[in-house]
Amino acid sequence: MTNVQTTTSPITAAFARARAERRVALIPYVMAGYPDLATGEALAVAFGQAGADLIEIGVPFSDPLADGATVQHASQIALEHGMTLAGALELAGRVSAQAATPLVLMTYYNPIFSYGIEHFCTAAKAAGVAGLIVPDLPAEEADPLLRAARECGIALVFLIAPTSTDARIETVARVAAETGGFIYCVALSGVTGARDRLPEDLAAFIARVRAHTSLPLAVGFGVARPEHVAAIGRIADGAVVASALLNAVDAAPPDQRVATGVAFLRDLQSGAHLDATSSP
Amino acid sequence: MTHPAETTTPPTSQPTYQHGAFPDARGRFGDFGGRFVPESLMAAIEELERAYADASADPAFASILAEQERTYTGRPTPLYHAARLSARVGASVYLKREDLAHTGAHKINNALGQGLLAARMGKRRIIAETGAGQHGVATATVCAKLGLECVVYMGAEDIRRQSLNVFRMKLLGAEVRPVTAGSRTLKDAINEAMRDWVTNVATTYYLIGSAVGPHPYPMMVRDFQSVIGRETRAQCLDQLGRLPDLVVACVGGGSNAIGMFHPFAGDPSVRLVGVEAGGSGVESGKHAATLVAGRPGVLHGALSYLLQDANGQVTETHSISAGLDYPGVGPEHSYLRATGRATYVAADDTAALHAFQTLCEDEGIIPALESAHAVAHVLGERGALRPDDVVVINLSGRGDKDINTVADALGVTL
């Protein structure tokens, strides 16, 4: 069953547009407050202007247990710069005023819980946030946030992992269908971080998820290169790129960081066109 | 849903303690507990829950565990009447001697139980976190005995202050991996162990050492540690012909305390007091007194009391004792606090150090600095206790590991 919010969600529209243009949707990641407040914000705006389909804005947390070294480091620096959930919402508000790209906020649960769930969803909506990814909130614990987000017209994006049983995939897909947005398929068993290659069983995993949902599927964790994006385009609807992007930005001289980030995104976009990559 | 502002409720809406009712099917103790973990771990946690339910229902498992507790751990541990401490305090004080258990602390109770469970599940690789090193030593011990691979994550700061235990773990065949992230203490070691578990979930058993983490860990750790309280209760009835008036235990994550408290929690006449690490003083902000000074939050898979800033970031803690240096606490303690069934207080570093010395001099027992916090609280109760009051302190571990820390604190160069 399709509800009103699902059909009108800017996230749904972004995936539909990418599909119509025969592209896999690209979802670059920015850590709020990293490498510093101004550069993080400039990167998000530049990604929007460069044609990112969605932008994921990471909120730093003191204990990012689903993250590998790159995001842990960025998180720590962002916290040292004083970034908070409230600060990330302010940043999202400024970005959405400058770019039409839908924003998805990625945060661990405790900052939301501490902020107050309903209060947070209202503020997120006002800041132009279209979706939420909460990596330590499985479907079983999601009811309070799901309810509040739905009332505000915000999609709660659930993760499904290669270890998820078919029974769990079915449950998560059912819950996710009520909130719209997309399903975040965790490509590998592990933490976030750039990898050289995608796992060999990725296609089989995505097929297992696809069997239970018609929502768009985005693949993240370990996605680092245009050929990864191209491979994901053959089996799913979107690719999330975080650590590899952070690494590229990190390696650039301070005055080149935004340009480097955009160049990295454009390189990934070269793998995003389905027609260019679908020949055997 | 529990809103932080609503959970610090006035006493009028205090929920009533229901013994034996929790955890429920969702892994909740009242409002607390649950499973706040990445989806990647959910299947493993469900597998663990089934395996533990299966083992719990199997008399053969209980019988192997009981036999190993008796012949390997050295249970039952004594309940000792501390005569000179009693005279000092002005009440009848007994020590539950978990320091006499194999490896020198209560941690072996849980490590043995979970180790047997892991072997039963066919998992050959065990990971663990450790703060003071006692859980790491206990896990390394059980892995050696059962022939399992053992990797222990330990904060770099804790490795520095607990070098003796680090060497013990290595002797026992474990690999000790230093954790340099964050505050470089127990909470960061748990983060890193969880990352390892997510990565190696198919082959690896995560042997959590405290009554924290996602369901079923808090229940499972409580169950394996409850041997402490069951023995103590039976020993009180046997040796004294009555139940104690007051039972005191230190609380970091809370495993020794929940193991001691749980079997007494259904006895309304027995007062339960948990003693947290007051560090440099609760008012200084440099402490680890989660239930005294924290508010509800989510860390390491469970909703429980948490030391956090106004933005929901977990704050760094301080304690002279590595084993109590943790910003969270087991969810069942949050429930015991919320219902008023147990009360929680803090003892600061100075009081703990004084209690450490007092127990050495009065009783010839060198306690772990963690356990010294519980002793400190009882010393502070002098005058408030009646001479015929029976007080039991859970002496959760011995203090050999803390000799360097204590020497430092006393300005002595070894």
Side-chain angles (χ1 to χ4, degrees):
Chain A
M1 185 167 38
T2 308
N3 71 28
V4 177
Q5 280 153 12
T6 306
T7 53
T8 58
S9 159
I11 295 176
T12 310
F15 276 100
R17 188 169 54 245
R19 191 176 305 128
E21 295 172 3
R22 299 200 47 75
R23 290 185 294 107
V24 57
L26 264 179
I27 310 172
Y29 173 96
V30 177
M31 168 69 80
Y34 182 82
D36 54 63
L37 187 58
T39 310
E41 183 172 333
L43 274 166
V45 172
F47 288 160
Q49 289 163 350
D53 295 284
L54 300 170
I55 298 169
E56 191 179 327
I57 296 183
V59 180
F61 184 50
S62 51
D63 295 85
L65 56 79
D67 286 300
T70 301
V71 176
Q72 283 180 51
H73 172 72
S75 196
Q76 195 163 342
I77 301 287
L79 287 174
E80 284 167 13
H81 290 150
M83 185 47 65
T84 60
L85 181 58
L89 288 175
E90 287 170 21
L91 182 144
R94 291 193 299 272
V95 172
S96 54
Q98 299 168 74
T101 317
L103 304 180
V104 179
L105 212 63
M106 180 153 185
T107 173
Y108 286 85
Y109 190 48
N110 195 55
I112 295 178
F113 187 77
S114 168
Y115 197 105
I117 292 166
E118 285 85 13
H119 183 199
F120 163 75
C121 287
T122 306
K125 184 63 180 176
V129 171
L132 301 172
I133 303 173
V134 187
D136 58 348
L137 192 69
E140 286 83 347
E141 301 288 356
D143 268 358
L145 183 59
L146 194 59
R147 226 176 308 124
R150 196 160 44 200
E151 272 175 31
C152 293
I154 295 176
L156 183 53
V157 175
F158 287 93
L159 294 92
I160 292 180
T163 51
S164 304
T165 57
D166 286 345
R168 287 199 60 77
I169 292 174
E170 196 181 338
T171 305
V172 174
R174 193 171 53 239
V175 177
E178 295 171 27
T179 166
F182 63 97
I183 287 180
Y184 190 132
C185 298
V186 177
L188 46 83
S189 284
V191 293
T192 61
R195 310 288 204 281
D196 288 338
R197 64 191 60 181
L198 297 175
E200 283 173 10
D201 54 1
L202 183 62
F205 164 51
I206 298 300
R208 277 207 300 136
V209 181
R210 187 70 91 192
H212 292 281
T213 182
S214 56
L215 285 174
L217 305 182
V219 177
F221 283 46
V223 182
R225 299 176 179 179
E227 58 267 34
H228 297 168
V229 173
I232 288 167
R234 290 192 278 273
I235 55 176
D237 308 296
V240 183
V241 184
S243 295
L245 199 45
L246 290 173
N247 290 341
V249 168
D250 216 26
D255 61 335
Q256 301 286 308
R257 283 178 167 157
V258 175
T260 303
V262 170
F264 195 90
L265 177 64
R266 290 203 189 286
D267 191 37
L268 294 172
Q269 284 169 331
S270 73
H273 290 276
L274 304 183
D275 297 326
T277 61
S278 58
S279 56
Chain B
M1 181 55 203
T2 309
H3 184 282
E6 293 166 5
T7 306
T8 46
T9 40
T12 48
S13 62
Q14 187 176 63
T16 307
Y17 177 75
Q18 294 173 266
H19 192 60
F22 296 111
D24 61 19
R26 297 172 60 221
R28 296 284 183 138
F29 300 87
D31 289 339
F32 302 100
R35 292 184 158 149
F36 297 84
V37 294
E39 172 64 26
S40 301
L41 291 177
M42 287 299 287
I45 286 171
E46 289 174 349
E47 179 195 0
L48 175 61
E49 184 180 23
R50 283 191 301 271
Y52 180 60
D54 183 69
S56 301
D58 181 357
F61 184 80
S63 131
I64 290 167
L65 179 61
E67 170 69 9
Q68 294 297 319
E69 285 175 343
R70 190 174 67 80
T71 60
Y72 189 69
T73 308
R75 305 207 68 92
T77 59
L79 182 69
Y80 163 70
H81 180 234
R84 297 187 67 208
L85 186 66
S86 295
R88 186 187 286 274
V89 169
S92 202
V93 180
Y94 289 79
L95 304 177
K96 178 59 173 170
R97 299 291 309 276
E98 291 300 295
D99 60 317
L100 294 177
H102 181 42
T103 72
H106 73 288
K107 292 292 188 186
I108 190 74
N109 302 327
N110 169 56
L112 182 62
Q114 285 198 58
L116 290 170
L117 180 63
R120 183 183 164 103
M121 291 171 72
K123 306 277 184 182
R124 308 299 303 173
R125 180 175 184 268
I126 306 293
I127 57 170
E129 82 296 336
T130 197
Q134 289 302 118
H135 175 58
V137 167
T139 304
T141 297
V142 168
C143 287
K145 167 186 164 52
L146 297 176
L148 305 172
E149 181 190 348
C150 181
V151 174
V152 179
Y153 289 93
M154 188 169 187
E157 169 64 14
D158 291 337
I159 285 181
R160 187 189 63 74
R161 43 181 180 177
Q162 302 289 344
S163 55
L164 178 66
N165 271 345
V166 174
F167 188 56
R168 289 171 79 197
M169 285 183 265
K170 289 178 179 169
L171 286 174
L172 291 160
E175 180 193 345
V176 181
R177 293 192 184 164
V179 178
T180 55
S183 58
R184 303 147 69 96
T185 59
L186 180 57
K187 107 182 151 70
D188 309 286
I190 296 179
N191 291 340
E192 209 53 40
M194 289 238 181
R195 291 184 187 113
D196 181 317
W197 197 25
V198 164
T199 306
N200 302 296
V201 63
T203 59
T204 298
Y205 183 96
Y206 181 17
L207 207 163
I208 293 186
S210 197
V212 303
H215 178 68
Y217 282 106
M219 167 180 76
M220 204 163 62
V221 175
R222 173 197 75 193
D223 292 351
F224 289 132
Q225 291 294 1
S226 287
V227 67
I228 303 171
R230 283 197 309 272
E231 282 178 12
T232 304
R233 197 173 179 284
Q235 287 164 325
C236 283
L237 293 174
D238 183 45
Q239 294 173 216
L240 313 172
R242 54 169 292 199
L243 291 173
D245 301 290
L246 173 63
V247 172
V248 183
C250 65
V251 178
S255 72
N256 90 80
I258 204 68
M260 178 58 105
F261 289 176
H262 188 69
F264 285 108
D267 301 314
S269 69
V270 180
R271 218 152 48 87
L272 307 174
V273 176
V275 187
E276 300 190 304
S280 306
V282 171
E283 64 294 338
S284 74
K286 294 183 70 178
H287 61 83
T290 307
L291 289 160
V292 169
R295 62 190 167 88
V298 173
L299 179 70
H300 295 150
L303 170 56
S304 192
Y305 272 72
L306 181 61
L307 290 170
Q308 54 187 319
D309 69 13
N311 299 303
Q313 304 291 343
V314 180
T315 48
E316 295 200 354
T317 52
H318 170 85
S319 171
I320 192 170
S321 117
L324 303 183
D325 209 349
Y326 181 64
V329 69
E332 192 162 4
H333 285 295
S334 289
Y335 173 65
L336 291 172
R337 179 198 187 281
T339 55
R341 180 61 193 91
T343 52
Y344 296 86
V345 299
D348 66 19
D349 287 353
T350 309
L353 199 59
H354 173 70
F356 179 98
Q357 291 174 286
T358 303
L359 203 66
C360 289
E361 291 164 15
D362 276 6
E363 299 293 343
I365 295 171
I366 302 177
L369 276 170
E370 290 78 12
S371 322
H373 286 71
V375 178
H377 173 71
V378 173
L379 286 172
E381 289 293 279
R382 177 168 47 187
L385 295 168
R386 294 186 311 263
D388 60 345
D389 276 346
V390 171
V391 178
V392 173
I393 300 172
N394 193 19
L395 200 71
S396 55
R398 70 180 183 218
D400 310 53
K401 69 186 177 60
D402 294 315
I403 294 304
N404 290 322
T405 304
V406 171
D408 270 1
L410 298 177
V412 175
T413 308
L414 296 180

